[in-house]
Amino acid sequence: MKRVWALLPAVFLYLSEGVGELFSVPEKKNYIYGNVEHPVKIYVKMHHNSPFLACMDKELSQTEIIDPISLWMGPNGKHLKENSHINLTSEGKLMITSFQASMSGSYICTLTYKIISEETQKEQEIYNIYTFMAFGYQEPDFAYQMTVRFTTDSCNGKKNSQFFKLLIRILDEIIIDLTCHIEEPSYKCHFLEIPKHGLKEELFIAFQVKPFSPERKAACSKLSVDCEEITNSNVHQARNRIEEFFLKQTNILKHEFNYIPNIHYVEHSFKVIRIDSCQPGFGKNDILHSDCASCCVVCDPRTYSPNTDVTCQACLTVHIYGAKTCP
């Protein structure tokens, strides 16, 4: 008996290789089921594939169905047929491939099947209609607004301006290999009255950390469908590097200087806020798209977004998804 069991793995491998998929374990697919009572919303990442949309509800999928026929209709009101973006299985399931903004909208499936009476063998034809609302989405583009303070011995003179320019140049060099850069740098000098320390003069410095220019991002998009993840990962790394740079300033002051420089970092003054933006034609709406509240979702008809704002604006003359202009 032991010899038989020992041979089984080899026999299985041989059969599997010899007859292809006949003996392979079926892959578990990601199905989204419909609901006869209300449309089902799905969010598909741009240039990716949708999950399989099943032309039935969850309850019906657990029962035997006699003579099922599925008929799908797309957002343009026409019946769907197999093409480069439409994958229809023999079981009537639909996958939308390489999703584009223009593919957003309602996908309606009519399921026809029969119920046969066990007593009379009489056939009754049943019609169920399932509606799926598909929306293309992108991850928001990240940027970071940063502020930091430095003590100075005087708000007058050129040294503050020289220090500021040097600081921004250093920060740019820290993140240049991540194809990120500093934007909108500014500073102001203020007088502060601090309890038990009297008056102090400090530089309030602000700047933004952003990924590379839109032109280079467009080139990146042609190379990778996950360009958003790459750019967001880079700018997040840039944020961490800059934070580490300022955190080290306190340690340097304490352990590497015999005296305190006239201009030096104010401990715990570094602050950072993430700023999200969406590409034109996309926006955020945590009410309409609560299941994808952090996503940049394609603008609905009657709305548009001409810039990188996170809000789709109203425009009654727009009749498409993902509009960038208001005619």
Side-chain angles (χ1 to χ4, degrees):
M1 191 67 178
K2 288 183 180 180
R3 292 181 61 188
V4 173
W5 281 107
L7 288 172
L8 276 178
V11 173
F12 177 77
L13 287 173
Y14 174 77
L15 291 173
S16 180
E17 292 176 3
V19 297
E21 296 182 358
L22 182 62
F23 290 89
S24 62
V25 179
E27 181 184 355
K28 186 178 180 181
K29 291 185 171 61
N30 180 21
Y31 295 146
I32 302 292
Y33 291 96
N35 192 310
V36 292
E37 297 180 356
H38 58 76
V40 174
K41 290 183 179 181
I42 64 165
Y43 297 89
V44 186
K45 194 167 188 178
M46 295 292 294
H47 311 296
H48 287 67
N49 299 341
S50 76
F52 276 97
L53 309 182
C55 188
M56 62 179 64
D57 50 73
K58 183 72 172 179
E59 183 179 357
L60 195 60
S61 70
Q62 308 299 320
T63 62
E64 289 185 343
I65 305 175
I66 301 173
D67 295 338
I69 299 175
S70 302
L71 188 63
W72 283 93
M73 188 166 63
N76 60 2
K78 297 181 179 180
H79 294 303
L80 295 180
K81 297 180 180 179
E82 282 270 357
N83 60 41
S84 58
H85 290 288
I86 298 297
N87 178 5
L88 288 169
T89 71
S90 58
E91 298 172 337
K93 295 179 176 64
L94 167 67
M95 174 189 282
I96 311 162
T97 60
S98 300
F99 201 89
Q100 309 292 321
S102 60
M103 298 176 187
S104 300
S106 62
Y107 289 80
I108 301 172
C109 182
T110 302
L111 173 65
T112 306
Y113 63 98
K114 295 175 182 176
I115 297 177
I116 300 177
S117 171
E118 293 183 358
E119 296 179 358
T120 64
Q121 292 299 299
K122 184 178 179 181
E123 296 181 1
Q124 180 184 358
E125 204 161 47
I126 304 296
Y127 296 89
N128 284 355
I129 297 177
Y130 302 97
T131 301
F132 298 85
M133 293 299 300
F135 301 96
Y137 80 92
Q138 297 176 336
E139 298 293 339
D141 293 324
F142 295 168
Y144 290 95
Q145 176 70 42
M146 299 184 177
T147 57
V148 65
R149 288 157 51 187
F150 280 79
T151 294
T152 180
D153 60 350
S154 174
C155 282
N156 300 318
K158 294 182 179 180
K159 63 181 179 182
N160 292 332
S161 175
Q162 293 171 345
F163 168 79
F164 170 72
K165 291 177 182 178
L166 175 61
L167 175 65
I168 297 304
R169 187 163 68 245
I170 291 171
L171 296 179
D172 255 330
E173 290 175 357
I174 289 174
I175 61 177
I176 192 170
D177 64 305
L178 297 171
T179 57
C180 295
H181 62 285
I182 305 296
E183 281 194 8
E184 302 179 25
S186 64
Y187 81 95
K188 286 185 178 181
C189 192
H190 295 281
F191 292 92
L192 280 79
E193 185 172 353
I194 303 174
K196 299 181 181 180
H197 291 85
L199 284 175
K200 281 193 175 183
E201 295 166 88
E202 290 189 1
L203 301 177
F204 286 60
I205 298 173
F207 56 90
Q208 290 187 9
V209 177
K210 291 188 175 182
F212 44 70
S213 64
E215 292 78 14
R216 292 186 68 181
K217 180 168 183 178
C220 170
S221 298
K222 294 177 182 179
L223 299 175
S224 171
V225 295
D226 294 321
C227 191
E228 300 156 13
E229 285 86 349
I230 295 171
T231 56
N232 285 343
S233 174
N234 284 352
V235 76
H236 185 71
Q237 289 183 62
R239 171 224 183 278
N240 291 343
R241 286 187 189 180
I242 291 175
E243 181 178 35
E244 183 181 7
F245 169 81
F246 286 117
L247 291 177
K248 285 182 176 179
Q249 299 307 304
T250 300
N251 185 61
I252 291 172
L253 281 172
K254 290 180 179 179
H255 300 98
E256 297 186 21
F257 275 85
N258 295 323
Y259 67 96
I260 298 178
N262 292 335
I263 300 178
H264 62 270
Y265 172 69
V266 176
E267 191 173 2
H268 306 305
S269 68
F270 177 75
K271 307 295 180 186
V272 57
I273 299 173
R274 198 182 88 183
I275 303 171
D276 289 356
S277 61
C278 296
Q279 292 297 305
F282 293 79
K284 289 185 176 185
N285 189 323
D286 56 2
I287 298 176
L288 184 62
H289 301 298
S290 58
D291 292 334
C292 204
S294 64
C295 310
C296 291
V297 181
V298 63
C299 293
D300 289 332
R302 298 194 172 188
T303 65
Y304 78 110
S305 177
N307 49 38
T308 57
D309 196 2
V310 294
T311 305
C312 295
Q313 306 172 30
C315 179
L316 298 180
T317 56
V318 169
H319 304 292
I320 62 171
Y321 284 91
K324 301 174 184 178
T325 60
C326 182

